[in-house]
Amino acid sequence: MIEHYLDCRHEFGGRGPTAFDCWGQVRDVRANVFGWEWLPSYGAIADGDKRAFTEACVKERVAFQEVAATPGAIATVWRHRLCVHVGIVVLVDGILAVLETNPGSGPRWLSVADFERQYLKVIYYHDR
C-alpha cells in the first residue's frame, strides 16, 4: 500500500509521482491510498517558509478536528506556533504508524510512538 511512497525521493515542492515533500506526500496518500478528495497543493510555498506553511495548515484545519492518531489522520508537527512538518497515519503490518518524508531521512514510516518521540509537539487532525 505505501511501498510506492517509500521508493520516492524527497523534493521540496514535490507533488509526485516519483518525488514528494511532506505535504505532497500527505495529499497524495489521502487521495490515492484512502480514496478521499484532493487537498489543495500549496506547491508554491517556498522551502523553509514555515509561516506560509503554518497559514496553509491553519486554513485547512478549519474543516478538520483534532483526534487521536487514526488511519488517515494528518500528523502535524509544531514548534512554538509554527507548523513545521506533516505526515499521515497509516497501518503497516497492523502497526499504527506515521508515513513521512523529509530532506534528512527521505521517505519512511515510524510507529506513532517513535514519531511522537522524534518531534516535541504532534497534533493529529482528521476530517472523516
Side-chain angles (χ1 to χ4, degrees), residues 57-98:
C57 180
V58 169
K59 181 178 179 181
E60 289 308 310
R61 77 176 183 197
V62 169
F64 288 68
Q65 53 183 255
E66 193 173 326
V67 296
T70 56
I74 298 173
T76 60
V77 176
W78 296 83
R79 188 173 304 131
H80 305 289
R81 294 183 181 181
L82 294 177
C83 182
V84 297
H85 183 51
V86 294
I88 188 161
V89 181
V90 295
L91 279 175
V92 178
D93 298 327
I95 298 170
L96 205 55
V98 178

Side-chain angles (χ1 to χ4, degrees), residues 32-72:
N32 290 316
V33 173
F34 290 100
W36 300 334
E37 64 189 54
W38 285 95
L39 294 172
S41 172
Y42 297 115
I45 294 176
D47 167 36
D49 189 348
K50 299 306 182 189
R51 290 198 191 285
F53 189 66
T54 300
E55 288 172 13
C57 180
V58 169
K59 181 178 179 181
E60 289 308 310
R61 77 176 183 197
V62 169
F64 288 68
Q65 53 183 255
E66 193 173 326
V67 296
T70 56

